[in-house]
Amino acid sequence: MNNLQGLADYAIRAWFSVPDPARWPYTWLVYLGFILLAGLIAVGFAAGFAGPMSFIERRIAGRMMSRIGPNRVGPQGIFQFIADGIKSLLKEDIVPAEADRPLFLLAPYLVFTGMFGTFVALPFAAHVIAADLDVGILWLLAIPSLVVVGLLMAGWGSNSKWAVFGGVRSAAQLVSYEIPSAFALLSVVLFAGTLSTQGIIAAQGPWPWEWFIFRNPLLFVTFFIFFISALAEGNRAPFDLPEAESELVSGYNVEYSGMRFVFFFFAEWANLWVMSALATTAFLGGWQVPGMPAVEIAAMTGWRFVGWEALSFLIFALKTSVLVFVVVQLRWTLPRLRVDQLMTTCWKYLVPLSLITLTGNLVLLALVPERGVVDWMMRGLMVLIAAALALRYLQRVRANYLADRENYRKMEGKELWYPPYRLP
Amino acid sequence: MVSAVPTPVKGDRSSTQGAPLRAWLQDITRASTSIFEGLAVTMSWMFRRPATIQYPDRIDKPVQEMLPDGYRGILEVDLLRCSGCMLCQRACPIDCLDIVVVKDPQTKGRFIERFDIDIGKCMYCGICSEACNFDALQHTTEFEGSATSLDDLLLHFATRPVPVSKHKAGQGPARRPQGSILREVIKPLYTRDKRTGVDHLAPAEAPPAPAKGDEE
Amino acid sequence: MTPTEIHQRLLEVFGPDDILGLEAELIDPVIVVRPGALRAVATHLRDAPELAMDFLRLLTGLDRPDAFEVVYHLFSYPKRHSVGLRARLDREAPTVDSVWDIWRTAEWHERETWDLVGITFTGHPDLRRLMMPDDWVGHPLRKDYQKPSVYHSIPTTRPKPSSQAPTHVFPPAEHVAKAEVEGEWMQVNMGPHHPATHGVINFLLETDGEIIRRARPDVGYLHRGLEKLAEITPYGNTMPYTDRVDYLGSMFTNHGWAMAVEKLVNVQVPPRAEYCRVIASELNRIASHQIATGALAMDIGAYTPFIHWLRERETINDIMEIVCGARLTYNYMRVGGVARDIKQPTLDRILTWLDHFEPMIDEFDRLISNNEIFIKRLANVSTISAEEAVSFGLVGPNLRASGVDWDIRRDEPYSVYGDLEFKVIVGQGLRGSVGDAYDRFVCRVLEIRESVKILRQACLNIPEGEVQGKVPRDLKPTANEVYARVEGARGENGFYIVADGQKQPYRVRYRTGSFTGMSIIEHLSPGLMVADLVALIGSLDVVAPEVDR
């Protein structure tokens, strides 16, 4: 059932003492108010995430490049994003003389809408979701298409050749990568038996071996297919071709300034959350709290309910943040693909792979009974493999960390080494 | 592990040749392993100390004091040691030195009337200071010379006629500390707050406060 | 073969009517050819198997009092011999046949010569101005050239600082051209302000969507007339100007200039100074290759490797600060030696830093060189065959990446490179074909490793002694011509000096690696994508001021 409606009905009963909200003449007004409120909260959350995220990404990038990153505005520079926002607000909103004015002005809003529309069906906690749509996954796949329209409009409307390059690239890229991403989600939908996002989370469990990613080897691969496609759909490196700085200067947003430019960037950083949250929902068990099924949380009342909801949100946010960090790290590690390689990656690697995994998943679904011996063996195996990979990763990180420590030690005593604090 | 640039692999010219399936799988494995390695490198830097410092306010001492002695910063001249031989002016490739030496008709003494250095034109090549036999013209470690107009970049070292030095090379008065003469002559756009280390617009260059009557 | 033998050989083939003589008294001897026979002689020089002069190093236009001259400096990679060709042209209408199809690199050289000296090359396909604007009047390198006081209301001289009022009036903005679509091609201006052009260069792209039909480089935005400046500056004082030829490799231009003048005035350089030169040059080579490889990675979209390289380069800059007092425009070398000695603590510091630096090269390789996306972006992109590379006059890592095993440091040892052991890196087609963009990248990374080796040897073996040889107070070489060259970071840095007994050179010509590197881009561009062009420019390591000088 729709959570928002239930909440609104509860409020009408409690505040206005109306026994049956369905017959009350002002019910629609309260509903409208609740919808607006939910929208406001969603946009507020997205903005509240995108702003600090822009700062956090820059700090992470700084550390990876062995520099500090923004550190001037406020303690450790944490108000940098506010300063940037104010600066952008105060900047002149320039519309090029030769631009297609309506398209140029409308484009940022379309991008914004497309990105924030996804928050409708995204779960945050056990019972916190704007609308638990029965076709949630379908909505999440469909609504970002508005972004394509927006980027194309921005590219065309700017009447700049570089912007057109960016717009056309983004259109080709987003349309192509929707296919593997849809196939990947289809595998999950098959196992969960529902399109609802909350339903998919409910079909998994809180422990890693109950997550879809570790359910069988094919779903493990499917997760990476989905993750890569999500990167491409979100114009994130190594698929950031529409705004490739070194090739297209800045791509579709090259002519934008002021607040319209900020809209593009808000959408980009909000999309970090969207893609990571979707991956968490579909593969990483969502907000599931160990030892506390959602049904039991629903039965609670008062602060206990709020507390458990908050805990489930924290778990969800933690998993999402790990993915967000990986996305950011990828951006500052990898070079960019070329346009034809982007298409090759999609059509020759991801689409065949996703078809193979989808078919394999169908077979596994039919042959392997859930929670049977084979199923548990596969789950255990996948968790072990993942743990081994993580261990290997940590080992490599440590090896890199230690690689030149001895040399630094050697240099520390040297007097002429100047200035001394340049050493890490 | 993968450390050096890959060694050539026989038969591995391009992924389009040979068995397509093998090449296809090879592409996937290579991409995943190399991305894994790259992520390990960037991740390791999350735990290392940044190599940069926060210039200019959070450093132990001014950069001017950390630069090596031979650094070729803004020129300065110690007129007490200058013999007015004009070797530097002749050596300068771009005529950024403007020296006028006059002779007093009565006493027959020579005076340096003008010693101007156009640091807007100077290319800090160091040829003039090499030509100077008296250690009078030297490069300092000062490098902050931003100014609001080209005029401020013309440094006048001789504000009044100075008698030329009669000392031989290697003798004469001790050279004043490097940079001390320049700091009297140059009009920097920014001055550093000694306490906080933050740069401020120099008071002389600050725009005058608007009169009260102008505000509405 | 020696120039005399080549002269004899040409006399046998063409006879004394066409081969007018050999100027053997010059340091680099020159054969004088009748202008009408130039094409035939040039073709013979290139095609005769025992001559095989496949490399046109330099084409210079000279304005002599009695005649215009065109000087061709030729070299043979297979035979390793060199000679100059000279054609004296009529002063009134200087015209000579173009050799652009014999040596493709002549195409740009002839354009530049026409632009700056005003010699017409008949048969040239595209004789436009190269450095100066298209509506410029006159040829600046002629001796009787008078520069206009204003150009489009921009004064050509800097006002004295004391003059108060700003005199600069910007011309009214002309109508901005709309999207020009001729047929189905789109014209795009890539530059002059574009992140991937490595300086102020404009590329006029004609594209079909993302695929480039033709990319025409439009250079000259950084033309500062350094060759003209050298004509009015005494020999010793030109040194700081050579810093500005190539700001990423000042040491090499310093070194080349010093070598050229030393040959002219016949000065011996003390051994310690030679070692100082080598140490400084190799440090500079590391720094320059770091910028080249890092910026290429950044053009491809990976920022982190570039910043990591900058971090390591910072130490080189610090060392340079101690060694020569500047971080970029070193002005370190002097005729007959170097400006300052490299003291023992600095040498220790270099050695300590090298210990630290080598693991960092490994890390750079792990981060970017081995990255599959990076390899796929560069492998098989804009492959230059050995023949093309030689014909277009590519030098340095670009030439070696195409499979030509040639390094001036090893094959024509200058300074003390003959005593040092190092490997010459040749492109092997690691992950694609020989001479592709990835090979050029790998060549540079491996050359950094070789430079580390050289630095270790040089720092340990440096002898004691003076760092400045005996040099006459006024450098006044007798009338002579010299062509000196060093192996710079971007390849052969050549210095052609025509001396006439004055304190200033009569004519100076800088031969730079970026100039020829730039001239091949138009030839390679058809069929590339926009992103590939970015990779091509980055992999050729073009430095804009070196193109324009």
Side-chain angles (χ1 to χ4, degrees):
Chain A
M1 197 47 217
N2 194 323
N3 280 315
L4 200 62
Q5 196 186 356
L7 203 63
D9 286 349
Y10 176 81
I12 292 170
R13 281 197 205 95
W15 298 343
F16 302 102
S17 317
V18 177
D20 186 4
R23 299 200 178 169
W24 195 48
Y26 301 112
T27 303
W28 65 271
L29 210 62
V30 179
Y31 279 6
L32 194 67
F34 267 77
I35 289 171
L36 280 178
L37 194 68
L40 209 64
I41 290 172
V43 172
F45 175 82
F49 172 79
M53 195 55 224
S54 71
F55 164 71
I56 291 167
E57 166 154 18
R58 286 163 71 184
R59 283 300 287 241
I60 293 174
R63 289 308 293 267
M64 282 172 183
M65 296 175 179
S66 66
R67 55 188 176 87
I68 299 167
N71 55 42
R72 287 293 155 146
V73 191
Q76 288 295 307
I78 52 170
F79 299 130
Q80 181 69 45
F81 68 95
I82 295 176
D84 286 347
I86 292 171
K87 185 195 79 173
S88 302
L89 269 174
L90 298 179
K91 278 216 168 177
E92 188 187 354
D93 181 18
I94 300 169
V95 182
E98 305 276 339
D100 193 332
R101 212 179 155 81
L103 290 185
F104 185 83
L105 297 183
L106 194 60
Y109 302 112
L110 271 180
V111 175
F112 195 72
T113 316
M115 208 53 86
F116 284 76
T118 50
F119 277 88
V120 169
L122 267 189
F124 291 99
H127 296 89
V128 181
I129 182 168
D132 185 12
L133 300 177
D134 290 339
V135 290
I137 291 292
L138 201 61
W139 170 268
L140 286 173
L141 285 174
I143 195 75
S145 308
L146 270 182
V147 177
V148 187
V149 181
L151 297 188
L152 256 181
M153 276 165 73
W156 179 258
S158 300
N159 195 13
S160 156
K161 289 161 192 168
W162 296 114
V164 169
F165 274 140
V168 174
R169 277 183 180 190
S170 76
Q173 175 178 337
L174 268 68
V175 170
S176 304
Y177 275 86
E178 274 181 5
I179 294 162
S181 112
F183 275 135
L185 283 179
L186 202 55
S187 294
V188 173
V189 169
L190 281 174
F191 278 95
T194 171
L195 279 166
S196 141
T197 45
Q198 293 286 48
I200 289 175
I201 293 177
Q204 307 170 62
W207 301 107
W209 50 87
E210 291 173 310
W211 298 349
F212 276 145
I213 180 175
F214 298 133
R215 180 145 175 182
N216 65 45
L218 289 173
L219 271 174
F220 190 68
V221 177
T222 312
F223 168 74
F224 287 101
I225 296 171
F226 173 74
F227 192 69
I228 294 168
S229 321
L231 279 178
E233 279 188 87
N235 293 340
R236 292 292 303 191
F239 305 104
D240 58 344
L241 285 98
E243 49 186 285
E245 290 96 321
S246 53
E247 295 156 24
L248 304 187
V249 193
S250 189
Y252 57 86
N253 58 27
V254 67
E255 301 288 345
Y256 281 87
S257 65
M259 209 51 211
R260 279 172 219 285
F261 182 71
V262 173
F263 272 128
F264 283 118
F265 265 74
F266 253 35
E268 190 186 319
W269 270 300
N271 181 60
L272 264 182
W273 175 274
V274 172
M275 70 167 93
S276 307
L278 194 52
T280 311
T281 304
F283 291 95
L284 300 182
W287 38 257
Q288 292 267 20
V289 190
M292 183 61 69
V295 194
E296 280 186 38
I297 299 177
M300 295 173 191
T301 50
W303 286 112
R304 260 189 94 211
F305 175 76
V306 174
W308 279 103
E309 286 288 330
L311 184 65
S312 68
F313 172 72
L314 273 183
I315 288 174
F316 187 78
L318 190 73
K319 291 175 183 173
T320 310
S321 305
V322 171
L323 286 184
V324 166
F325 179 81
V326 173
V327 174
V328 169
Q329 196 192 354
L330 277 172
R331 171 164 178 188
W332 299 108
T333 306
L334 297 183
R336 187 183 302 117
L337 275 79
R338 205 169 51 211
V339 182
D340 58 326
Q341 290 168 345
L342 182 89
M343 290 297 151
T344 315
T345 313
C346 180
W347 293 103
K348 284 168 107 173
Y349 292 86
L350 293 182
V351 169
L353 264 179
S354 61
L355 281 170
I356 292 168
T357 51
L358 181 62
T359 324
N361 277 326
L362 275 170
V363 174
L364 284 178
L365 190 65
L367 295 184
V368 182
E370 196 179 346
R371 293 177 195 276
V373 182
V374 183
D375 189 34
W376 278 114
M377 275 170 63
M378 275 199 299
R379 288 174 192 234
L381 186 72
M382 289 324 292
V383 170
L384 282 180
I385 289 176
L389 274 177
L391 216 61
R392 176 84 189 127
Y393 182 60
L394 289 178
Q395 201 188 351
R396 292 300 302 151
V397 171
R398 190 163 178 275
N400 280 322
Y401 178 74
L402 296 179
D404 61 334
R405 198 178 60 173
E406 284 309 310
N407 292 304
Y408 281 130
R409 290 247 171 90
K410 235 190 274 175
M411 286 186 281
E412 257 167 33
K414 300 267 174 179
E415 190 188 315
L416 244 170
W417 196 263
Y418 127 93
Y421 45 73
R422 277 208 187 133
L423 292 177
Chain B
M1 259 336 267
V2 208
S3 64
V5 168
T7 44
V9 186
K10 267 212 170 148
D12 174 41
R13 288 290 157 183
S14 155
S15 57
T16 50
Q17 289 172 2
L21 186 66
R22 227 184 94 221
W24 190 78
L25 288 172
Q26 201 180 35
D27 278 352
I28 293 175
T29 32
R30 273 191 179 153
S32 30
T33 48
S34 63
I35 289 171
F36 184 84
E37 279 294 320
L39 286 177
V41 170
T42 43
M43 191 65 177
S44 75
W45 273 98
M46 292 299 290
F47 306 107
R48 298 193 225 181
R49 235 199 295 165
T52 54
I53 52 167
Q54 297 185 36
Y55 178 81
D57 55 341
R58 288 178 210 173
I59 47 179
D60 312 335
K61 49 183 180 176
V63 175
Q64 282 89 340
E65 290 172 26
M66 294 191 290
L67 291 170
D69 293 337
Y71 184 75
R72 300 204 305 262
I74 300 173
L75 283 167
E76 71 171 6
V77 61
D78 190 345
L79 288 179
L80 299 182
R81 290 176 72 95
C82 177
S83 72
C85 63
M86 316 278 267
L87 272 179
C88 50
Q89 192 179 18
R90 246 173 279 151
C92 180
I94 42 175
D95 297 338
C96 77
L97 299 169
D98 189 1
I99 307 166
V100 175
V101 178
V102 292
K103 210 172 188 179
D104 191 324
Q106 276 101 46
T107 60
K108 306 283 180 199
R110 289 164 71 240
F111 290 87
I112 303 165
E113 193 186 62
R114 189 196 296 168
F115 202 114
D116 288 357
I117 301 176
D118 186 355
I119 61 169
K121 208 174 175 185
C122 176
M123 59 175 172
Y124 305 93
C125 61
I127 289 182
C128 56
S129 62
E130 275 172 31
C132 185
N133 295 325
F134 303 91
D135 280 353
L137 189 63
Q138 274 194 352
H139 282 280
T140 65
T141 53
E142 292 286 330
F143 55 87
E144 289 169 337
S146 53
T148 45
S149 80
L150 279 176
D151 292 355
D152 291 348
L153 292 178
L154 193 65
L155 303 183
H156 309 285
F157 281 89
T159 43
R160 58 190 165 72
V162 183
V164 298
S165 159
K166 296 266 170 43
H167 304 286
K168 288 204 177 86
Q171 297 173 357
R175 203 177 187 292
R176 278 179 274 169
Q178 177 245 55
S180 58
I181 306 161
L182 179 74
R183 276 191 283 274
E184 288 166 19
V185 173
I186 199 166
K187 280 184 284 178
L189 185 57
Y190 292 91
T191 54
R192 175 159 304 150
D193 191 320
K194 284 277 188 300
R195 192 172 51 81
T196 59
V198 179
D199 286 343
H200 296 293
L201 261 184
E205 301 296 335
K212 282 222 168 127
D214 295 348
E215 290 174 23
E216 287 192 2
Chain C
M1 271 202 251
T2 61
T4 324
E5 288 165 355
I6 297 171
H7 178 237
Q8 281 304 321
R9 161 97 203 157
L10 286 179
L11 268 181
E12 287 162 20
V13 178
F14 290 96
D17 285 350
D18 288 343
I19 310 298
L20 301 175
L22 172 71
E23 295 175 357
E25 72 283 2
L26 300 179
I27 296 172
D28 291 292
V30 172
I31 299 169
V32 184
V33 183
R34 188 174 63 83
L38 186 79
R39 262 191 77 87
V41 174
T43 317
H44 181 76
L45 278 172
R46 187 194 63 176
D47 292 339
E50 68 279 13
L51 293 170
M53 311 286 257
D54 49 359
F55 175 37
L56 174 64
R57 279 165 174 177
L58 191 61
L59 193 162
T60 315
L62 267 169
D63 178 8
R64 297 275 198 188
D66 52 336
F68 279 102
E69 287 176 0
V70 196
V71 183
Y72 301 79
H73 283 92
L74 300 174
F75 181 71
S76 164
Y77 280 116
K79 300 286 173 193
R80 315 249 149 131
H81 55 217
S82 58
V83 77
L85 275 191
R86 188 197 306 277
R88 290 185 201 280
L89 312 178
D90 181 24
R91 252 212 87 85
E92 296 309 313
T95 308
V96 72
D97 287 332
S98 169
V99 293
W100 76 278
D101 49 343
I102 300 173
W103 301 287
R104 290 296 303 272
T105 180
E107 191 176 340
W108 270 40
H109 276 116
E110 285 175 355
R111 271 180 72 188
E112 192 191 343
T113 308
W114 183 81
D115 183 3
L116 299 181
V117 191
I119 294 168
T120 314
F121 293 89
T122 47
H124 191 283
D126 186 23
L127 201 63
R128 288 176 294 123
R129 282 189 184 272
L130 187 69
M131 296 296 167
M132 311 303 284
D134 284 341
D135 56 351
W136 195 264
V137 180
H139 303 286
L141 278 180
R142 285 191 176 184
K143 293 288 173 187
D144 55 354
Y145 174 74
Q146 296 290 328
K147 82 174 171 199
S149 56
V150 289
Y151 171 72
H152 285 284
S153 81
I154 305 168
T156 55
T157 42
R158 177 176 179 263
K160 288 268 184 230
S162 49
S163 63
Q164 290 292 329
T167 51
H168 186 163
V169 182
F170 282 100
E174 287 173 25
H175 177 68
V176 181
K178 283 189 184 181
E180 289 163 35
V181 181
E182 47 164 85
E184 49 194 296
W185 307 105
M186 177 162 75
Q187 268 198 7
V188 191
N189 272 306
M190 186 165 158
H193 307 288
H194 189 281
T197 53
H198 293 217
V200 199
I201 306 165
N202 187 12
F203 288 91
L204 294 160
L205 310 185
E206 293 169 22
T207 69
D208 175 14
E210 291 256 346
I211 296 167
I212 293 169
R213 174 212 195 190
R214 190 164 69 150
R216 285 162 63 191
D218 176 15
V219 301
Y221 290 88
L222 282 166
H223 181 64
R224 293 145 296 165
L226 286 172
E227 291 176 359
K228 184 86 174 168
L229 259 175
E231 289 177 14
I232 56 165
T233 316
Y235 284 95
N237 282 5
T238 301
M239 196 61 81
Y241 286 119
T242 59
D243 289 341
R244 274 81 180 164
V245 172
D246 173 7
Y247 54 61
L248 289 180
S250 309
M251 229 28 117
F252 310 113
T253 39
N254 274 195
H255 200 166
W257 179 261
M259 270 172 59
V261 180
E262 281 154 12
K263 276 188 187 175
L264 275 178
V265 296
N266 204 6
V267 168
Q268 286 303 312
V269 184
R272 188 174 175 90
E274 292 282 23
Y275 269 89
C276 286
R277 284 181 176 186
V278 167
I279 290 170
S281 292
E282 293 307 315
L283 278 174
N284 197 188
R285 191 184 310 277
I286 293 177
S288 177
H289 280 344
Q290 277 177 333
I291 292 290
T293 50
L296 174 58
M298 194 168 75
D299 288 343
I300 302 297
Y303 284 73
T304 311
F306 182 58
I307 309 284
H308 281 198
W309 264 163
L310 280 187
R311 184 193 66 231
E312 298 306 325
R313 186 172 176 269
E314 198 63 17
T315 318
I316 298 181
N317 283 348
D318 289 348
I319 292 171
M320 286 301 192
E321 247 170 32
I322 298 172
V323 169
C324 51
R327 299 168 72 83
L328 198 66
T329 47
Y330 304 127
N331 187 24
Y332 178 54
M333 298 185 193
R334 297 286 181 270
V335 175
V338 293
R340 303 171 192 177
D341 192 8
I342 303 181
K343 304 220 167 53
Q344 191 56 41
T346 317
L347 293 174
D348 291 346
R349 201 170 143 178
I350 295 171
L351 287 170
T352 323
W353 175 72
L354 290 177
D355 287 347
H356 153 76
F357 180 55
E358 270 188 320
M360 288 293 124
I361 310 177
D362 294 343
E363 193 181 280
F364 180 82
D365 283 345
R366 282 199 294 275
L367 181 57
I368 190 76
S369 307
N370 290 322
N371 189 295
E372 190 65 18
I373 299 175
F374 188 69
I375 293 170
K376 290 274 174 202
R377 275 297 303 272
L378 295 181
N380 287 321
V381 166
S382 61
T383 307
I384 305 174
S385 69
E387 291 75 34
E388 268 179 332
V390 171
S391 176
F392 272 93
L394 289 194
V395 283
N398 295 337
L399 179 75
R400 289 193 281 277
S402 295
V404 180
D405 190 4
W406 173 260
D407 190 323
I408 302 175
R409 288 177 294 172
R410 182 198 63 189
D411 298 317
E412 285 184 350
Y414 58 97
S415 205
V416 287
Y417 280 113
D419 306 340
L420 302 169
E421 266 187 38
F422 60 98
K423 218 167 75 192
V424 173
I425 309 297
V426 181
Q428 299 168 321
L430 286 178
R431 295 294 300 279
S433 39
V434 177
D436 60 5
Y438 187 62
D439 264 6
R440 292 195 281 277
F441 172 83
V442 167
C443 262
R444 292 199 166 84
V445 174
L446 292 180
E447 275 186 19
I448 290 179
R449 290 175 184 275
E450 294 304 317
S451 289
V452 170
K453 271 193 219 165
I454 298 177
L455 273 174
R456 282 231 168 86
Q457 298 171 39
C459 287
L460 292 174
N461 297 337
I462 183 166
E464 292 296 324
E466 286 288 305
V467 293
Q468 178 68 47
K470 290 263 181 294
V471 180
R473 191 182 171 84
D474 275 333
L475 294 171
K476 228 176 186 181
T478 49
N480 211 331
E481 288 180 20
V482 68
Y483 180 85
R485 53 180 183 166
V486 294
E487 180 73 30
R490 269 155 290 281
E492 179 174 327
N493 263 326
F495 290 79
Y496 175 48
I497 304 180
V498 180
D500 64 342
Q502 300 294 315
K503 275 161 84 177
Q504 299 93 0
Y506 185 77
R507 173 84 162 94
V508 168
R509 184 116 165 82
Y510 301 123
R511 190 250 186 270
T512 58
S514 297
F515 182 79
T516 44
M518 196 59 138
S519 64
I520 200 174
I521 287 177
E522 182 172 351
H523 173 71
L524 290 176
S525 60
L528 292 181
M529 304 188 95
V530 175
D532 283 339
L533 182 70
V534 170
L536 170 62
I537 301 166
S539 72
L540 285 172
D541 187 18
V542 171
V543 174
E546 216 196 1
V547 178
D548 300 343
R549 303 185 299 284

